[in-house]
Amino acid sequence: MGHDASFNPFEMARQQFDKTADLIGLDDGTRSLLRSPLREFHFSIPVRMDDGTVQVFQGFRVQHNDARGPGKGGIRFHPQETIDTVRALSMWMTWKCAVADIPLGGGKGGVICDPHNLSAREQEAICRGWVRQLARNVGPVADVPAPDVMTNPQHMLWMLDEYEAIHGGHYPGMITGKPVGMGGSLGRTEATGYGVIYCLREALRELDMNAADTTMSVQGFGNVAQYAIELYNEMGGKVVCVSSWDQEEQTTYAFHRANGVDRDELLGITDRFGGIDKAKAKEAGYDVLPGDDWIKQDVDILLPAALENQITEKNVNLIAERVKIIAEGANGPTTPEADAVIEKRGIFMIPDFLANAGGVTCSYFEQVQCNMNYFWEREEVLTKLDQKMTAAYLSISEMAQRQKVYMRDAAYVVAINRVAAACRDRGWV
Ligand code: NAD
């Protein structure tokens, strides 16, 4: 499924929030505070393009809530980016940091642009322009950006460099997801994907299933998907289908191989945006199917790891009888309508802001290491990540079992209660 202009992620995030606010009987003041972002910034970024013309890009930063700590959240470069997408993602970041129990709040940023069509120099100019607009409103004690869809460690370093030029000093805690050796943390690249699989491992244990006997279908083959597949394979699981965006045809394709896809082989024919080369995949023995087919696969586990609004009322009924678990690597992949069907069918849901919290947890470790100016070995990072993710998973699943509620509702109850308590304790509400 491509982009659906009528879909509004912020309405969806609010719908999910309202449901929980009703469930826990949240007071009106706290409810209206948490339903909207605390602050948002909209600005223009003029860039001198390689051909000499000036193009103006639209940039955003939304700070949903910082009661528990400085805002935290990625910056997305996407041609269909909207302010409501950024609002929704910033709200989900607030819940994610609360569920992971790290001392950070929720923020998110974006620029409407397509890096596929921009030179490195033009992208650098967008990064520096973004920071020039926000140099007084982001930073280690205010709001800490990170990479998201189509942004990477190089973008983060350009942004840090601009911030440090403006403020005249070294502030490595201003941004995370930096290159290793330049303030980045080992383990950050794999953190989100691995975190999804740490949660999955716990869910399998709870459901008395053995990873080595399971199969999975994955939507997307970018950062999150690639590392989730790596660790899942290490646990003995078999991925039979992955899908990706085809830039040339502006559509998606699914790549299927019954005896399992080979992650490393696919990586060799994937571009830096996570797009798989169709012709080469065919040569390597993959069936190339329509992109939406990832959801129809007869597997035990579905892993959406592309974008929001992918499991909807239109396709939720295509999910095979056999599917037992959905682990949401992406943010907001499932609409509330589809969610109701999934809950009714008894499919075990590992909700996005729990499942993909590994990225922000490792970003938090990166900040800690930067503050200490002492960097941990990869194993130490991943061990700490596993502990944090497992603790977060268990606190949600215990609540889900105790109160007999759906996992997403349990995650929302824990998150909103923690954020509401911080707002109350500070005397805001
Ligand atoms: P990415 O840009 O590395 O990869 C995205 C992948 O999705 C690519 O393979 C692309 O081809 C594919 N894709 C794009 N549109 C698609 C479509 N319509 N159908 C099928 N495939 C499509 O991005 P990422 O960092 O892996 O992020 C993926 C999701 O995970 C996003 O929702 C993001 O917000 C979320 N997330 C990422 C992180 C992180 O640390 N990277 C952390 C938390 C959440």
Side-chain angles (χ1 to χ4, degrees), residues 179-302:
V180 170
M182 290 301 291
S185 174
L186 290 168
R188 176 63 185 89
T189 312
E190 50 272 53
T192 308
Y194 277 20
V196 173
I197 302 304
Y198 296 146
C199 289
L200 176 67
R201 178 194 66 206
E202 296 305 311
L204 288 168
R205 189 173 294 161
E206 201 173 312
L207 301 174
D208 213 9
M209 291 165 72
N210 183 358
D213 302 331
T214 63
T215 54
M216 184 193 269
S217 175
V218 183
Q219 187 192 36
F221 193 59
N223 173 263
V224 178
Q226 289 167 11
Y227 288 96
I229 293 170
E230 182 177 73
L231 191 58
Y232 175 66
N233 284 339
E234 271 176 36
M235 283 165 38
K238 186 166 82 174
V239 175
V240 296
C241 184
V242 301
S243 73
S244 80
W245 178 251
D246 189 290
Q247 179 64 12
E248 211 171 294
E249 296 185 33
Q250 294 285 302
T251 187
T252 60
Y253 284 103
F255 301 85
H256 174 269
R257 200 161 68 181
N259 61 353
V261 308
D262 180 333
R263 172 198 179 266
D264 294 341
E265 175 185 67
L266 278 183
L267 265 186
I269 56 170
T270 299
D271 67 23
R272 68 201 152 96
F273 301 106
I276 298 169
D277 187 310
K278 256 192 341 284
K280 289 186 184 148
K282 261 188 203 151
E283 275 169 32
Y286 291 87
D287 309 318
V288 180
L289 309 171
D292 293 350
D293 279 17
W294 77 278
I295 204 173
K296 301 183 188 165
Q297 300 301 314
D298 189 35
V299 290
D300 304 290
I301 303 156
L302 291 178

Side-chain angles (χ1 to χ4, degrees), residues 355-395:
N356 69 34
V360 75
T361 302
C362 195
S363 281
Y364 161 60
F365 294 157
E366 180 176 331
Q367 267 199 309
V368 172
Q369 294 168 78
C370 285
N371 291 343
M372 292 192 298
N373 205 10
Y374 175 73
F375 289 83
W376 307 333
E377 299 298 330
R378 179 174 179 272
E379 277 321 300
E380 185 172 357
V381 175
L382 293 178
T383 304
K384 287 186 160 77
L385 181 68
D386 193 350
Q387 285 165 349
K388 269 286 195 202
M389 291 300 294
T390 303
Y393 177 90
L394 292 176
S395 72

Side-chain angles (χ1 to χ4, degrees), residues 42-68:
H42 301 221
F43 46 90
S44 300
I45 307 172
V47 170
R48 173 83 54 194
M49 306 299 281
D50 291 349
D51 66 4
T53 62
V54 172
Q55 205 170 314
V56 180
F57 294 90
Q58 183 71 37
F60 307 111
R61 184 72 183 173
V62 176
Q63 296 165 350
H64 172 259
N65 190 281
D66 53 15
R68 287 175 46 90

